């Protein structure tokens, strides 16, 4: 089992989860984070740290498509191992539905 980041993270990119990850398995895109499913050790410490509940276990039925999206972009984007400020629009976008279809960016973030 692993944890995945869902589209709830898009346009928010809170990094509280990154700070607690013992294996540095978070990767940064321009407007969201992903978890590399092969690096995640299923410790679960990241899930409660996310203030907008964007992280879910892969056993959750809503996680099915997110496992492959997390895997694909974790292999393309730079690793992020320390906290950064959330995106300026985070509060405005935290409850928006369908963010992947409307706002996802495949561009990488800066990483560490």
């Amino acid at each position: 089992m692993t944890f995945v980041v869902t589209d709830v993270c898009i346009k928010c990119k809170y990094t509280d989860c990154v700070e607690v990850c013992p294996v540095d398995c978070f990767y940064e895109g321009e407007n969201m984070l992903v978890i590399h499913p092969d690096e995640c050790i299923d410790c679960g410490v990241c899930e409660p740290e996310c203030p907008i509940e964007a992280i879910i276990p892969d056993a959750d039925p809503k996680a099915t498509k997110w496992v492959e999206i997390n895997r694909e972009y974790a292999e393309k984007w730079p690793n992020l191992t320390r906290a950064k400020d959330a995106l300026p629009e985070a509060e405005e976008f935290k409850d928006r539905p369908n963010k992947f279809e409307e706002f996802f960016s495949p561009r990488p973030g800066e990483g560490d």
Side-chain angles (χ1 to χ4, degrees):
M1 189 165 98
T2 186
F3 285 82
V4 294
V5 180
T6 66
D7 65 338
V8 175
C9 185
I10 295 172
K11 303 273 280 169
C12 294
K13 202 163 71 168
Y14 289 100
T15 58
D16 308 58
C17 53
V18 172
E19 194 79 355
V20 299
C21 180
V23 293
D24 298 334
C25 65
F26 281 88
Y27 291 81
E28 183 184 18
E30 179 180 46
N31 68 3
M32 78 173 289
L33 303 173
V34 293
I35 294 171
H36 197 302
D38 295 336
E39 296 174 4
C40 177
I41 60 170
D42 189 32
C43 68
V45 297
C46 61
E47 184 182 25
E49 293 300 317
C50 182
I52 56 173
E53 300 178 359
I55 300 172
I56 60 175
D58 70 346
D60 185 312
K62 294 179 284 192
T64 303
K65 80 176 193 177
W66 297 107
V67 173
E68 286 312 311
I69 289 169
N70 276 241
R71 180 185 313 282
E72 176 182 350
Y73 288 97
E75 293 175 4
K76 296 176 180 178
W77 292 345
N79 190 235
L80 184 64
T81 62
R82 59 193 152 120
K84 294 181 172 185
D85 291 336
L87 295 176
E89 64 268 23
E91 280 301 306
E92 175 188 347
F93 279 88
K94 69 180 184 179
D95 297 319
R96 288 272 297 264
N98 305 313
K99 291 197 284 185
F100 188 78
E101 294 78 12
E102 293 184 50
F103 304 110
F104 174 74
S105 170
R107 291 188 290 267
E110 296 175 4
D112 285 340

